[in-house]
Amino acid sequence: MISETKLQKYKDWIFRSSAYSMALSIIGIDKLTVAPPGGSAYRDERTAFLAGELFSIQTEPEIFAILAEMKDDEDLDGDTRRAAYLYWKHIRDISCIPKDEFVAADVLMNKSYDAWLKAKNEKDYSIFEPYLKQVIDIRKKFYSYRNSDTDLYDQMLDDFEPGMNREKYDAFFAALRERLVPLIRRITEAEQIDDAFMYQNYDPSTQKKFTDHLLAYLHFDSEWGYQNETEHPFTSWTCENDCRTTTKYLADNLSSAMFSTIHEVGHATYEHDISPAYDGMILSEGVSSGMHESQSRLFENYLGRTEAFWTTLYPVLQEHFPEQLKDVSMEKFISAMNVSVPSLVRTEADELTYPLHIMVRYEIEKGLFDGTIAPEDLEETWNRKYKEYLGVDVPDASKGILQDVHWSDGSFGYFPTYALGSAFAAQFMHAMRKDMDVDAALREGRFDLCVSWLKDHIHKYGCRYDAEEILRMATGEGFNVNYYLDYLEEKYSALYHL
Amino acid sequence: MISETKLQKYKDWIFRSSAYSMALSIIGIDKLTVAPPGGSAYRDERTAFLAGELFSIQTEPEIFAILAEMKDDEDLDGDTRRAAYLYWKHIRDISCIPKDEFVAADVLMNKSYDAWLKAKNEKDYSIFEPYLKQVIDIRKKFYSYRNSDTDLYDQMLDDFEPGMNREKYDAFFAALRERLVPLIRRITEAEQIDDAFMYQNYDPSTQKKFTDHLLAYLHFDSEWGYQNETEHPFTSWTCENDCRTTTKYLADNLSSAMFSTIHEVGHATYEHDISPAYDGMILSEGVSSGMHESQSRLFENYLGRTEAFWTTLYPVLQEHFPEQLKDVSMEKFISAMNVSVPSLVRTEADELTYPLHIMVRYEIEKGLFDGTIAPEDLEETWNRKYKEYLGVDVPDASKGILQDVHWSDGSFGYFPTYALGSAFAAQFMHAMRKDMDVDAALREGRFDLCVSWLKDHIHKYGCRYDAEEILRMATGEGFNVNYYLDYLEEKYSALYHL
């Protein structure tokens, strides 16, 4: 049994780490939402210093030894052992990086983000390219310190989704391709749904007022949540009772802000619902990127795009936009928000063509790290693949290669989890529908009943179990892609009368 | 001459300190603007820990010794010697406090702020009282560690305004009382100005749109500044190019948000205009509370309430509120925004009765620390003094004893600087008007010319010189209260045709 002294050091270490993590989280939210850009250089340099302080705390050799002891100590309870293991694994992977390089990387990532934002605004990939190259180089270097025999990109994939690698993703995307590509083709040839009314003038300040209703409907409570606006919507959090989301209002698009709101609140609810006993420690995080995305996309698509979800909400939306929506029936509204048309921007893509956007990114990332694609060829490769897979011509880099923030800080291996999460969500929904009448609950405005199911079966565990274990406990079987494909085929065949 | 090694340690220490200061500043802004209240306990505990880390850095004995050497080192340039002296003085005053007590105080101040906000919302002083008592006790204890022979409240006054004490403030307020009380009485008996139109329904979202124009007019640039909304408007900053302000919109009051905006931008502009060479170090701060307030009140009153200031702005305001302002002439508008009527809330008080609000607070603070007023008698004392000095009955604590945030973190000695700053501003304006045609500049919308004068004569110096020295350099003489009293007499005699 580990000594009391060591346990106390471990607890103290968690607290100290969590203080710096919190500071960095808040500084990060501030930077992305409201901080004046002129102060970036000053702030970033100091933020990197603080990240270095956290790095020093996290990699204290004495703690690494304590964690190694704790993770195998059978006398400790399961929660503590699991936390010790996850901490130990994380520290093993970062402590090989020299601190000065770690801090320099933090400075670079901040500069790279600023360059990405500028490049996107000016629709000019060449502004971002030199930073992206440096980011790629630094990621390669950091992984090289681990001295692992595993393929570089496989390591990246595993970091975001433990247990996944190229082989599994290749099989996953092949399954998607096999059944979705013909489906998408049949829809292209079917009679199209008129959704022009979604793209009229929708005053952003009225959209905001409706969003307040929507947030209340989703039980996103101002006591523990706050929504702001950013160019690229995201969710961030510091603890159980502090989860932040952002959205973006477009004056000529009704659905963009609504669905990004529902999506981000899915992430935030997951974090909020994790057992408060884990607050401040490593167990208090969604277990993987795919699992996180399963919750956001479950909110957004599997619940948020159903007629039942809108039963009590749509009349409120009509009140906010009487002129635009007075002649739009509920049925027409629901059809319009589920229209499937190959498009340019991932975050605004429909549910069916969405995984193709991910496939483009997955293939590019694979190529970047096996050396078959060079950073200078990225824009051309991107545009070619969008033409090939989605049949669309990219008009400029802001709607193409620069649309996503992820690569600016080197989050390679993240994108594939978006498609995987969508598939997890289908499997969870299948289980939820066996346990409760989801549509009846939603029709009565009881979104909270769905949240309760998710909390009891998924959210509360945080990182306590692996994604695969949670899938088994919640649905009674391991991951099965067919729930996803069946769902899409059934839904879209009905919608387009195929 | 101090060694290069020591100088490098000093520079490194400044950088480390500035990183923590920045983090605490951003965490503080976040707390006051958007952070979900449910997360307060979690955040505050960790914020206090980080404040403790900063405390440890600031009070490193080796640095204190280096600073002591530097401040008297004639071989160093004046900027460096001055900075070393100010750091040394600050550390001398805090290093006597035990670190655990310092951290505990930080936790208490955060709780006290939350209690104040709750008490204000519920109009119930008893919620705040127990916290205020603890805050008073802790301030007394911390000052006792200094072992100074100087009277306790005199030390507090000196901390906010170096060189000031009760004797000087007593004389200052006596001079105000002597000339202002008769003036206010004459106005009460004069024909009153109709300003009812200022209190119609003014939609906050339209007020916000006008504020965007106002901020642009004031040259508050989004590259270095950001305005948010809070219950109690304030200004905060992390560096030259990162200054934040807040305001508060009232649906039935046109002037409140406008003038709080102009006021806070005065503070922000001061910070922004300090020489960038001082960024991140102690010279990069307004030199005293009184000097800071002189700039905010100069913006708000001496410029912001003149007809010249509104020449190009008022037509824009009328466009935003055509229904409410179509029959209101510029003359009537200017008179209305300068109406003097004894009132309840300091931040919304007119220029003339404003110092009486300060006098109430000054007398109460004096009483609190010489033992003649107990915390449990504060509300009754407050209400009695408001009746006596301003002739108004306080309807509830939110408009009385709980209206200001300052005491919640123990900022005793701060309030008197508000009146002093107003008087400094009069003296600065007198000098500015000798150098340039202020009204002509404003009539052409050239607010920037006024800002340039202030930058050259005041702002750029930061803490490089004492307030008294800056007054002398900018105006050619030491502080003279008569500029303030002459200004008020002249302005209000004309306005009320006395």
Side-chain angles (χ1 to χ4, degrees):
Chain A
M1 179 79 180
I2 190 124
S3 74
E4 263 309 310
T5 316
K6 286 181 182 172
L7 259 187
Q8 195 47 52
K9 279 189 180 169
Y10 164 74
K11 285 178 189 164
D12 170 64
W13 173 79
I14 288 180
F15 177 77
R16 288 184 289 134
S17 302
S18 74
Y20 284 89
S21 296
M22 178 199 80
L24 292 169
S25 168
I26 291 175
I27 292 168
I29 295 166
D30 180 76
K31 177 184 171 78
L32 295 179
T33 53
V34 297
S40 279
Y42 182 94
R43 287 188 306 262
D44 292 349
E45 208 186 348
R46 283 153 185 84
T47 306
F49 167 78
L50 294 168
E53 294 293 279
L54 174 58
F55 182 86
S56 291
I57 292 171
Q58 289 192 312
T59 56
E60 284 168 9
E62 186 186 5
I63 295 292
F64 190 57
I66 291 174
L67 292 170
E69 192 181 338
M70 286 177 68
K71 78 182 170 58
D72 298 323
D73 185 339
E74 301 270 331
D75 291 330
L76 289 172
D77 64 272
D79 282 8
T80 308
R81 278 220 317 279
R82 168 78 175 172
Y85 166 72
L86 292 173
Y87 278 126
W88 175 85
K89 183 164 169 270
H90 174 62
I91 292 162
R92 182 198 61 189
D93 289 343
I94 65 165
S95 57
C96 51
I97 303 166
K99 183 181 169 182
D100 59 338
E101 291 185 24
F102 180 87
V103 173
D106 200 87
V107 175
L108 171 65
M109 299 309 171
N110 276 312
K111 283 188 186 154
S112 169
Y113 170 82
D114 292 339
W116 165 75
L117 197 60
K118 186 167 189 281
K120 186 174 180 183
N121 287 335
E122 299 183 14
K123 305 172 198 246
D124 181 357
Y125 174 63
S126 73
I127 295 171
F128 178 51
E129 192 189 299
Y131 290 92
L132 181 59
K133 280 184 181 173
Q134 292 178 64
V135 167
I136 291 170
D137 287 344
I138 218 156
R139 280 278 168 253
K140 282 183 180 170
K141 196 169 176 194
F142 283 5
Y143 275 95
S144 77
Y145 289 135
R146 293 195 192 174
N147 253 329
S148 166
D149 292 335
T150 309
D151 168 86
L152 173 60
Y153 189 49
D154 279 349
Q155 291 183 62
M156 292 175 166
L157 292 171
D158 187 84
D159 273 358
F160 285 106
E161 197 64 34
M164 288 301 286
N165 54 30
R166 286 170 305 161
E167 192 187 341
K168 291 182 186 173
Y169 273 122
D170 283 346
F172 170 67
F173 284 115
L176 264 53
R177 202 180 293 118
E178 189 185 328
R179 284 176 63 185
L180 298 188
V181 170
L183 179 60
I184 292 168
R185 190 171 319 117
R186 286 169 66 204
I187 287 177
T188 314
E189 290 156 5
E191 190 186 338
Q192 296 303 297
I193 295 164
D194 175 20
D195 65 347
F197 71 88
M198 296 287 261
Y199 304 94
Q200 301 171 78
N201 186 13
Y202 288 95
D203 176 42
S205 68
T206 312
Q207 286 194 49
K208 274 186 218 183
K209 284 177 189 159
F210 174 72
T211 301
D212 289 340
H213 280 268
L214 180 59
L215 290 171
Y217 177 89
L218 297 168
H219 292 264
F220 184 74
D221 189 330
S222 64
E223 190 62 18
W224 60 265
Y226 181 79
Q227 173 148 303
N228 213 320
E229 291 170 49
T230 46
E231 173 62 27
H232 199 98
F234 70 91
T235 302
S236 188
W237 53 88
T238 66
C239 63
E240 179 205 1
N241 285 317
D242 183 355
C243 303
R244 324 281 181 101
T245 61
T246 66
T247 189
K248 181 183 175 182
Y249 294 97
L250 301 173
D252 57 356
N253 186 326
L254 178 60
S255 64
S256 178
M258 281 187 334
F259 287 101
S260 90
T261 294
I262 303 171
H263 179 100
E264 299 302 334
V265 169
H267 285 301
T269 304
Y270 186 3
E271 289 298 325
H272 172 64
D273 281 350
I274 293 172
S275 167
Y278 301 155
D279 230 17
M281 59 192 289
I282 201 165
L283 297 183
S284 176
E285 301 251 338
V287 68
S288 68
S289 300
M291 196 61 102
H292 237 301
E293 204 60 21
S294 79
Q295 299 310 295
S296 56
R297 297 190 72 78
L298 192 150
F299 267 51
E300 177 190 349
N301 295 325
Y302 295 80
L303 299 174
R305 293 187 199 267
T306 65
E307 183 167 343
F309 180 92
W310 286 94
T311 306
T312 60
L313 269 184
Y314 185 57
V316 179
L317 183 64
Q318 281 181 309
E319 280 167 28
H320 281 76
F321 295 107
E323 206 177 306
Q324 295 93 327
L325 298 177
K326 66 175 182 294
D327 297 329
V328 178
S329 67
M330 169 74 101
E331 195 191 346
K332 195 173 171 191
F333 176 69
I334 301 298
S335 297
M337 72 168 66
N338 283 294
V339 157
S340 175
V341 176
S343 63
L344 288 161
V345 178
R346 178 185 64 82
T347 54
E348 281 153 31
D350 64 83
E351 226 178 326
L352 181 59
T353 59
Y354 184 87
L356 300 188
H357 291 256
I358 301 304
M359 228 183 293
V360 170
R361 288 156 177 79
Y362 173 63
E363 292 183 7
I364 288 179
E365 287 187 346
K366 269 209 299 187
L368 265 178
F369 293 102
D370 69 14
T372 55
I373 301 174
E376 47 268 38
D377 301 330
L378 270 188
E379 185 168 16
E380 187 270 324
T381 309
W382 179 287
N383 296 351
R384 187 166 39 74
K385 284 188 184 285
Y386 259 79
K387 184 71 183 175
E388 184 185 338
Y389 293 172
L390 288 138
V392 294
D393 291 302
V394 178
D396 63 63
S398 76
K399 291 196 166 59
I401 183 79
L402 294 174
Q403 66 182 263
D404 288 311
V405 69
H406 305 60
W407 290 341
S408 75
D409 76 347
S411 293
F412 306 107
Y414 193 143
F415 282 124
T417 70
Y418 285 158
L420 193 66
S422 300
F424 286 171
Q427 190 166 336
F428 287 131
M429 274 311 296
H430 189 263
M432 193 199 290
R433 285 191 185 279
K434 277 199 290 195
D435 283 356
M436 64 180 275
D437 188 338
V438 173
D439 293 333
L442 291 176
R443 265 188 225 106
E444 286 169 24
R446 296 297 305 273
F447 189 80
D448 58 311
L449 296 177
C450 303
V451 174
S452 289
W453 190 95
L454 295 167
K455 180 175 180 173
D456 288 344
H457 291 83
I458 303 162
H459 298 176
K460 68 177 182 188
Y461 296 120
C463 279
R464 180 63 184 83
Y465 302 102
D466 280 337
E468 179 77 15
E469 285 175 276
I470 290 174
L471 262 171
R472 271 189 200 283
M473 293 192 295
T475 73
E477 60 177 311
F479 175 53
N480 180 345
V481 71
N482 289 319
Y483 290 109
Y484 183 38
L485 298 172
D486 291 347
Y487 160 81
L488 289 174
E489 274 184 356
E490 193 183 321
K491 172 172 174 170
Y492 282 94
S493 297
L495 189 68
Y496 281 88
H497 312 289
L498 300 182
Chain B
M1 180 79 178
I2 190 124
S3 74
E4 263 309 309
T5 317
K6 286 180 182 173
L7 259 186
Q8 196 47 52
K9 279 188 181 170
Y10 164 75
K11 284 177 190 165
D12 171 64
W13 173 81
I14 288 179
F15 177 78
R16 287 185 289 133
S17 303
S18 74
Y20 285 89
S21 296
M22 178 200 80
L24 292 168
S25 168
I26 291 174
I27 292 168
I29 294 166
D30 180 77
K31 177 183 171 78
L32 295 179
T33 52
V34 297
S40 279
Y42 182 94
R43 287 188 306 263
D44 291 350
E45 208 185 347
R46 284 154 184 83
T47 306
F49 167 78
L50 294 169
E53 295 293 279
L54 174 58
F55 183 86
S56 292
I57 292 171
Q58 289 192 313
T59 57
E60 283 168 9
E62 187 186 5
I63 295 293
F64 191 57
I66 291 174
L67 292 170
E69 192 182 336
M70 286 176 67
K71 77 181 169 58
D72 299 323
D73 186 339
E74 303 271 330
D75 291 330
L76 289 171
D77 65 273
D79 283 9
T80 307
R81 278 222 315 280
R82 169 78 176 174
Y85 165 73
L86 291 173
Y87 278 126
W88 174 85
K89 182 165 170 269
H90 174 63
I91 293 162
R92 182 197 64 191
D93 290 344
I94 65 164
S95 58
C96 51
I97 303 167
K99 183 181 169 183
D100 59 337
E101 292 186 25
F102 180 87
V103 173
D106 199 87
V107 175
L108 171 65
M109 298 312 171
N110 276 312
K111 282 188 185 154
S112 169
Y113 170 81
D114 291 340
W116 165 75
L117 197 61
K118 187 167 189 282
K120 185 174 181 183
N121 287 335
E122 299 183 15
K123 304 172 198 243
D124 181 358
Y125 174 62
S126 73
I127 296 171
F128 178 51
E129 192 189 300
Y131 290 92
L132 181 59
K133 279 183 180 172
Q134 291 178 65
V135 168
I136 291 169
D137 287 346
I138 218 155
R139 280 280 169 251
K140 282 182 178 168
K141 197 170 175 194
F142 282 4
Y143 275 95
S144 77
Y145 289 134
R146 293 195 194 175
N147 253 328
S148 166
D149 293 334
T150 308
D151 167 87
L152 173 59
Y153 190 49
D154 279 348
Q155 290 182 62
M156 292 175 166
L157 292 170
D158 187 82
D159 274 358
F160 285 105
E161 196 64 34
M164 288 301 286
N165 55 29
R166 286 169 306 162
E167 192 187 339
K168 290 182 185 173
Y169 273 121
D170 284 346
F172 170 66
F173 284 115
L176 264 52
R177 203 179 293 116
E178 190 186 326
R179 284 175 66 184
L180 297 189
V181 170
L183 178 60
I184 292 169
R185 190 171 318 118
R186 285 169 68 204
I187 287 176
T188 314
E189 291 157 4
E191 191 185 337
Q192 296 302 296
I193 294 164
D194 175 20
D195 64 348
F197 71 88
M198 297 285 262
Y199 303 94
Q200 301 172 78
N201 186 13
Y202 288 95
D203 176 43
S205 67
T206 313
Q207 285 194 51
K208 274 185 219 184
K209 284 176 189 161
F210 175 71
T211 300
D212 289 341
H213 280 269
L214 180 58
L215 290 171
Y217 177 88
L218 297 168
H219 292 264
F220 184 74
D221 188 330
S222 65
E223 190 62 19
W224 60 266
Y226 181 79
Q227 173 148 303
N228 212 320
E229 291 171 48
T230 47
E231 173 62 27
H232 199 98
F234 70 92
T235 302
S236 188
W237 53 88
T238 66
C239 64
E240 180 205 0
N241 285 317
D242 183 353
C243 304
R244 324 281 181 102
T245 62
T246 68
T247 190
K248 181 184 175 182
Y249 293 97
L250 302 172
D252 58 356
N253 186 327
L254 178 60
S255 63
S256 178
M258 280 185 334
F259 287 100
S260 90
T261 295
I262 303 171
H263 179 100
E264 300 302 335
V265 170
H267 284 302
T269 304
Y270 186 2
E271 288 298 326
H272 173 64
D273 281 350
I274 293 172
S275 167
Y278 301 156
D279 229 18
M281 59 191 290
I282 201 165
L283 297 184
S284 176
E285 300 250 338
V287 67
S288 70
S289 300
M291 195 61 99
H292 237 301
E293 204 61 22
S294 78
Q295 298 310 296
S296 56
R297 298 189 73 76
L298 191 150
F299 269 50
E300 177 190 351
N301 295 326
Y302 294 79
L303 299 174
R305 292 187 199 268
T306 64
E307 185 168 341
F309 180 91
W310 287 94
T311 306
T312 59
L313 269 182
Y314 186 58
V316 180
L317 183 64
Q318 280 181 310
E319 279 167 27
H320 281 76
F321 296 107
E323 207 177 305
Q324 295 92 328
L325 298 179
K326 66 176 182 293
D327 296 330
V328 178
S329 67
M330 168 74 103
E331 194 191 346
K332 196 175 171 191
F333 175 70
I334 301 298
S335 297
M337 72 169 65
N338 283 294
V339 157
S340 175
V341 176
S343 63
L344 288 161
V345 178
R346 178 185 63 83
T347 53
E348 282 154 30
D350 63 83
E351 225 179 326
L352 181 58
T353 59
Y354 184 87
L356 301 187
H357 292 256
I358 300 304
M359 227 183 295
V360 169
R361 288 155 177 80
Y362 173 63
E363 291 183 7
I364 288 179
E365 288 187 346
K366 269 209 301 189
L368 265 177
F369 293 102
D370 69 15
T372 56
I373 300 174
E376 48 267 38
D377 301 330
L378 270 189
E379 185 169 16
E380 187 269 323
T381 309
W382 180 286
N383 295 351
R384 187 164 40 73
K385 283 187 183 286
Y386 259 79
K387 184 71 182 174
E388 185 185 336
Y389 293 172
L390 287 139
V392 294
D393 292 304
V394 178
D396 63 62
S398 77
K399 291 195 166 59
I401 184 80
L402 294 174
Q403 66 182 264
D404 288 311
V405 69
H406 305 59
W407 290 343
S408 75
D409 76 347
S411 293
F412 306 108
Y414 193 143
F415 281 124
T417 69
Y418 285 157
L420 193 66
S422 300
F424 286 171
Q427 189 166 337
F428 286 131
M429 275 310 296
H430 188 263
M432 193 198 290
R433 286 190 184 280
K434 278 200 288 193
D435 284 356
M436 62 180 275
D437 188 339
V438 173
D439 293 332
L442 291 175
R443 265 189 225 105
E444 287 169 24
R446 295 297 305 274
F447 189 79
D448 58 310
L449 295 178
C450 302
V451 174
S452 288
W453 191 94
L454 294 167
K455 180 175 180 173
D456 288 344
H457 290 84
I458 303 162
H459 298 177
K460 69 177 180 187
Y461 296 121
C463 279
R464 180 63 184 84
Y465 302 102
D466 281 337
E468 179 77 15
E469 285 174 275
I470 290 174
L471 262 171
R472 270 188 201 284
M473 291 191 294
T475 73
E477 60 178 311
F479 175 52
N480 181 345
V481 71
N482 288 320
Y483 289 109
Y484 183 37
L485 298 172
D486 292 347
Y487 160 80
L488 289 174
E489 273 183 357
E490 193 183 323
K491 171 171 176 171
Y492 282 94
S493 298
L495 189 68
Y496 281 89
H497 311 290
L498 300 181

